């Protein structure tokens, strides 16, 4: 073997076959791009202490790069293989020493010598894998020329053998950490198998409090993870996600912790300085990295994330509370790039929301949740044709609760949503039974139905049984569905609509023109009318372009033989214009407010006489 201590000798890569063996050994270790581990950091730290050097590294030589598993006093995650001092070390059985790189012909032009980190002194010892292939090195580096005596060489050799022993023990579970310490301006925590995420974060908080550091707690969800898991088996998916997390850890030294909280949720802790907004931008940047394509094990995937965050010490002092607040902030954001920052008003709103959800069922029973009836008129002859049933809530303590607030909350909970829908249907059908007995031509009653009900197998049967019980036909019932609520599946919706039509019920598309208007709703679904959203109607007397938009929607509906209802008509001018457009029906404050049943009943009686 040539002696690389001789400065005239350049190291060879070894034969192609040797290099192949070496790389196979390295691949078997599965260590490249994994996260920092205390058991390796500790050895590097000890080396720096013993030899009194600013820098100690445990590196591995990949195909074309040198990658660092442990790095004390060194900012780069990896360097090119060509620059690596360690490729000399690898080719040598003993400790390899450069006393002054600036005068060594092999190194004096090396970018790591002429530039950062200005290496002068280097001492390294190869690290061998289980079958003896040299895969990396343990080295110490200094900025000043110096010597390295036999005793030092012996110690470095012992430390390198210790690294080899750790390698042979295999890769530790990443992200589980035991002692926490604060050193060199960066918070560090170390591994403990039995610890929960919360216990670990609590310990980090303790260290941060002592060191006067601020932490951002990130609650991040990978929204497309279920798709990923549909395609890949559990073991591969777990390894892939582990690799993704390690990439994030490696590239962000301020991300002092990240782990998986549930199927799709992850908790990260960022050590930050500055304002809350700076912390948020830091989280955004981290997530921007998180969506970059990850490649590993022949899988390519892009993780899409949404996230919320809370701050220590501002928002709470315990892990449980901070994680909850980050999660709460997250829940206010369903999409978008920005990380949602927790604010006290988010907490207040969420308290109010849970209070409303708690009280809802009682409200249905004690009558504080009730219905108003808003009349709908034909534009020709101004005749009353029906009512839309609108939920109203007056709580003894909270006062009037707007439907804009409670409907979205109720819709989120299947049980409550179902209770409200069935209550509305019961109310409408009972009143229809009454009107049927007293009037030859009872009015229609329209009810808002959340789209989710249409995916329930038994919905048409439930409705039919209410009709049967009151001995009422479905001919005067209209179910209103918003465009928004129907997005998931046309086929399932159409099938339910057909079954409802068989018992006489008509369907209307509600709020048409307010959101994701699709012509397909008008052509593909067996609906009977189109209700044009008030945001469209209320503009028609202001500008010609809005007038033309409304006219186009009316014409579009007519093209499918569907009559139209103008919603939210508030002025005489609007009423005249919608009539001029041949829109068939009008609903709005100008002709009638949503009103209690007694008034609606009086309106029906008046019309009949
Ligand atoms: O989404 P839907 O069309 O079901 O909503 C009806 C809502 O519109 C009810 O809450 C009702 O109080 C409100 N509304 C009804 N008529 C008018 C009106 O003329 N102007 C305004 N601003 N709102 C109205
Ligand atoms: Mn409606």
């Amino acid at each position: 073997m040539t002696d690389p201590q001789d400065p005239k000798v350049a190291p060879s890569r070894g034969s192609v076959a040797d290099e192949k063996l070496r790389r196979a050994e390295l691949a078997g270790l599965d260590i490249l791009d994994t996260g920092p581990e205390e058991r390796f950091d500790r050895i590097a730290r000890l080396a720096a202490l013993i030899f009194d050097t600013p820098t100690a590294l445990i590196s591995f030589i990949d195909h074309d790069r040198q990658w660092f598993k442990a790095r004390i006093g060194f900012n780069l995650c990896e360097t090119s293989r060509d620059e690596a001092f360690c490729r000399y070390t690898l080719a040598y059985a003993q400790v390899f020493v450069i006393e002054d790189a600036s005068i060594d012909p092999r190194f004096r032009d090396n970018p790591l010598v002429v530039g950062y980190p200005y290496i002068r002194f280097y001492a390294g010892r190869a690290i061998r894998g289980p079958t003896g292939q040299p895969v990396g090195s343990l080295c110490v580096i200094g900025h000043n020329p110096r010597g390295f005596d036999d005793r030092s060489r012996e110690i470095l050799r012992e430390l390198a053998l210790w690294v080899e022993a750790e390698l042979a023990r295999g890769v530790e579970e990443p992200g589980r950490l035991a002692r926490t310490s604060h050193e060199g301006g960066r918070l560090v925590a170390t591994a403990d198998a039995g610890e929960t995420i919360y216990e670990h974060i609590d310990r980090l908080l303790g260290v941060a409090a002592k060191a006067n550091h601020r932490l951002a707690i990130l609650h991040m969800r990978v929204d497309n993870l279920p798709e990923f898991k549909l395609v890949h088996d559990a073991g591969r998916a777990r390894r892939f996600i582990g690799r993704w997390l390690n990439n994030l850890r490696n590239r962000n030294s301020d991300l002092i912790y990240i782990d998986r909280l549930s199927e799709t949720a992850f908790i990260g802790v960022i050590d930050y300085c500055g304002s809350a907004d700076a912390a948020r931008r830091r989280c955004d940047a981290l997530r921007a990295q998180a969506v970059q394509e990850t490649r590993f094990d022949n899988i390519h995937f892009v993780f899409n994330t949404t996230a919320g965050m809370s701050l220590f010490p501002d928002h709470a002092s315990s892990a449980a509370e901070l994680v909850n607040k980050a999660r709460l902030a997250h829940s206010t954001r369903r999409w978008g790039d920005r990380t949602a920052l927790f604010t006290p008003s988010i907490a207040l709103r969420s308290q109010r929301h849970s209070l409303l959800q708690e009280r809802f069922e009682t409200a249905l029973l004690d009558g504080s949740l009730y219905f108003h009836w808003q009349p709908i008129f034909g534009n020709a002859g101004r005749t009353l044709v029906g009512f839309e049933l609108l939920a109203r809530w007056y709580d003894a303590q909270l006062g009037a609760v707007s439907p804009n607030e409670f409907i979205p909350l109720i819709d989120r909970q299947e049980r409550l949503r179902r209770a409200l829908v069935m209550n509305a249907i019961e109310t409408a059908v009972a009143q229809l039974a009454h009107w049927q007995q007293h009037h030859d031509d009872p009015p229609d009653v329209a009810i808002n139905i959340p789209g989710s009900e249409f995916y329930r197998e038994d919905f048409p049967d439930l409705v039919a049984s209410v009709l049967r019980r009151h001995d009422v036909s479905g001919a005067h019932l209209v179910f209103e569905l918003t465009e928004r609520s129907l997005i998931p599946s046309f086929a399932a919706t159409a099938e339910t609509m057909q079954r409802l039509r068989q018992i006489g019920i008509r369907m209307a598309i509600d709020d048409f023109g307010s959101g994701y208007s699709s012509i397909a709703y008008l052509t593909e679904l067996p609906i009977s009318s189109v209700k044009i959203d008030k945001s469209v109607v209320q503009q028609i007397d202001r500008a010609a372009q809005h007038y033309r938009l409304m006219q186009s929607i009316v014409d579009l509906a007519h093209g499918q033989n569907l009559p139209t209802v103008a919603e939210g008509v508030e002025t005489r001018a609007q009423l005249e214009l919608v009539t001029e457009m041949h829109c068939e029906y009008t609903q709005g404050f100008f002709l009638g407010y949503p009103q209690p049943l007694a008034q609606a009943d009086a309106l029906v009686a008046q019309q009949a006489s």
Side-chain angles (χ1 to χ4, degrees):
M1 188 181 218
T2 51
D3 182 358
Q5 293 295 170
D6 175 355
K8 291 181 291 300
V9 178
S12 68
R13 246 186 196 222
S15 72
V16 174
D18 286 351
E19 174 67 4
K20 228 176 169 171
L21 277 176
R22 200 190 69 72
R23 297 267 309 286
E25 179 114 309
L26 184 60
L29 291 170
D30 198 18
I31 195 157
L32 288 176
D33 298 315
T34 56
E37 289 175 65
E38 173 57 13
R39 58 194 181 123
F40 293 111
D41 287 349
R42 183 181 298 138
I43 301 172
R45 235 175 12 243
L46 256 179
L49 277 173
I50 293 170
F51 303 115
D52 193 23
T53 54
T55 302
L57 300 166
I58 296 174
S59 71
F60 291 89
I61 299 285
D62 196 3
H63 174 60
D64 53 6
R65 61 170 178 157
Q66 159 172 249
W67 174 84
F68 304 110
K69 175 66 180 174
R71 48 193 167 98
I72 303 300
F74 192 73
N75 271 344
L76 307 173
C77 296
E78 56 185 51
T79 66
S80 88
R81 181 171 176 166
D82 293 338
E83 295 167 1
F85 282 55
C86 296
R87 66 199 176 103
Y88 291 84
T89 313
L90 241 60
Y92 192 46
Q94 272 113 60
V95 169
F96 175 61
V97 176
I98 306 288
E99 296 190 346
D100 185 353
S102 69
I103 56 169
D104 188 305
R106 294 166 299 177
F107 298 106
R108 63 185 171 215
D109 299 326
N110 187 300
L112 301 174
V113 175
V114 294
Y116 177 85
Y118 304 101
I119 297 175
R120 290 295 174 272
F121 166 74
Y122 171 97
R125 167 46 163 90
I127 291 166
R128 290 166 193 284
T131 69
Q133 290 294 326
V135 287
S137 74
L138 167 69
C139 67
V140 289
I141 290 172
H143 303 307
N144 300 308
R146 59 179 262 191
F148 207 62
D149 62 17
D150 284 349
R151 192 168 167 277
S152 297
R153 287 171 201 249
E154 190 52 32
I155 296 173
L156 188 61
R157 193 182 81 93
E158 287 295 336
L159 291 174
L161 291 175
W162 182 8
V163 173
E164 289 176 3
E166 287 297 339
L167 273 182
R169 280 176 45 199
V171 182
E172 254 176 43
E173 173 116 325
R176 297 277 173 198
L177 307 161
R179 264 171 320 112
T180 329
S181 62
H182 175 247
E183 54 171 57
R186 184 187 159 189
L187 297 174
V188 184
T190 52
D192 170 16
E195 200 177 38
T196 69
I197 290 177
Y198 291 98
E199 283 164 352
H200 182 73
I201 295 177
D202 271 329
R203 234 153 18 75
L204 278 177
L205 296 176
V207 180
K210 276 198 210 103
N212 252 323
H213 273 226
R214 308 166 71 77
L215 301 180
I217 313 303
L218 185 67
H219 184 267
M220 177 163 81
R221 172 161 285 115
V222 176
D223 296 315
N224 56 348
L225 201 55
E227 288 163 39
F228 179 74
K229 295 175 68 183
L230 280 180
V231 202
H232 300 292
D233 72 67
R236 264 187 115 191
R238 198 169 352 92
R239 280 196 303 280
F240 190 76
I241 290 161
R243 183 57 56 109
W244 174 65
L245 289 178
N246 278 331
N247 283 345
L248 286 177
R249 289 186 193 106
N250 286 343
R251 294 201 203 118
N252 300 279
S253 62
D254 58 347
L255 179 66
I256 58 175
Y257 178 71
I258 186 163
D259 208 344
R260 194 164 178 178
L261 186 65
S262 66
E263 263 316 273
T264 55
F266 298 81
I267 291 291
V269 179
I270 295 173
D271 188 2
Y272 81 99
C273 304
S275 67
D277 205 49
R280 201 189 39 78
R281 281 198 305 271
R282 187 61 197 94
C283 289
D284 289 346
L286 186 82
R287 288 176 41 231
Q289 279 181 24
V291 300
Q292 281 166 17
E293 186 180 46
T294 303
R295 290 157 183 268
F296 166 61
D297 211 4
N298 284 328
I299 310 175
H300 299 184
F301 193 68
V302 176
F303 291 91
N304 292 326
T305 67
T306 55
M309 60 176 272
S310 63
L311 302 178
F312 170 83
D314 314 49
H315 297 142
S317 54
S318 75
E321 265 185 280
L322 285 162
V323 169
N324 259 337
K325 288 182 169 175
R327 187 193 284 127
L328 210 55
H330 190 176
S331 72
T332 65
R333 187 173 296 271
R334 251 146 250 296
W335 34 259
D337 303 334
R338 291 179 82 190
T339 306
L341 175 62
F342 174 82
T343 62
S345 72
I346 289 180
L348 285 177
R349 188 157 9 116
S350 116
Q351 273 162 17
R352 181 173 159 99
H353 286 180
S354 6
L355 190 67
L356 290 175
Q357 284 173 334
E358 253 166 52
R359 290 198 186 179
F360 184 76
E361 281 174 297
T362 322
L364 273 177
L365 293 174
D366 70 14
S368 56
L369 197 133
Y370 53 93
F371 293 96
H372 270 171
W373 304 65
Q374 186 175 33
I376 303 170
F377 295 91
N379 286 336
R382 210 93 323 139
T383 49
L384 175 74
V385 294
F387 296 92
E388 178 175 352
L389 212 54
L390 295 164
R392 295 292 181 259
W393 188 353
Y394 193 92
D395 183 88
Q397 274 124 59
L398 303 171
V401 186
S402 159
N404 293 334
E405 182 179 15
F406 74 78
I407 297 287
L409 286 179
I410 299 320
D411 276 356
R412 255 181 254 156
Q413 293 202 2
E414 186 180 300
R415 208 169 97 113
L416 303 183
R417 182 176 71 216
R418 165 72 37 101
L420 178 61
V421 169
M422 292 319 289
N423 203 293
I425 293 174
E426 185 72 33
T427 304
V429 173
Q431 188 56 34
L432 277 174
H434 174 82
W435 278 330
Q436 252 179 14
Q437 279 175 12
H438 298 87
H439 302 280
D440 295 337
D441 188 18
D444 290 342
V445 180
I447 306 170
N448 296 294
I449 309 284
S452 48
E453 291 300 302
F454 274 69
Y455 305 110
R456 291 194 36 127
E457 197 62 38
D458 59 348
F459 181 65
D461 295 335
L462 283 171
V463 177
S465 75
V466 177
L467 288 170
R468 231 178 296 119
R469 184 151 40 76
H470 289 277
D471 196 17
V472 168
S473 90
H476 289 283
L477 265 190
V478 178
F479 284 173
E480 296 188 3
L481 288 125
T482 65
E483 314 171 283
R484 225 171 293 248
S485 72
L486 291 180
I487 290 166
S489 160
F490 261 44
T493 306
E495 193 194 312
T496 304
M497 286 185 170
Q498 288 298 2
R499 285 170 64 196
L500 290 166
R501 274 167 78 106
Q502 281 161 14
I503 50 175
I505 297 172
R506 282 162 291 152
M507 261 56 62
I509 289 293
D510 201 3
D511 299 347
F512 193 82
S514 66
Y516 316 90
S517 300
S518 163
I519 298 166
Y521 291 112
L522 310 187
T523 57
E524 306 294 308
L525 295 174
I527 57 168
S528 306
S529 60
V530 177
K531 299 188 77 173
I532 302 171
D533 192 63
K534 50 180 175 280
S535 63
V536 176
V537 174
Q538 290 176 349
Q539 310 264 18
I540 55 172
D541 49 349
R542 300 210 182 115
Q545 102 202 63
H546 295 297
Y547 180 95
R548 285 196 302 270
L549 172 64
M550 168 87 181
Q551 181 71 71
S552 310
I553 296 176
V554 172
D555 292 346
L556 190 65
H558 288 173
Q560 302 298 320
N561 285 321
L562 299 168
T564 54
V565 183
E567 293 186 302
V569 169
E570 292 184 354
T571 65
R572 177 174 303 281
Q574 288 164 357
L575 180 61
E576 281 168 4
L577 291 175
V578 302
T579 308
E580 180 186 302
M581 288 176 197
H582 305 289
C583 169
E584 286 79 358
Y585 307 101
T586 288
Q587 176 181 354
F589 295 167
F590 183 68
L591 292 179
Y593 287 96
Q595 49 202 265
L597 178 60
Q599 281 176 41
D601 198 22
L603 213 57
V604 176
Q606 181 193 326
Q607 167 104 353
S609 62

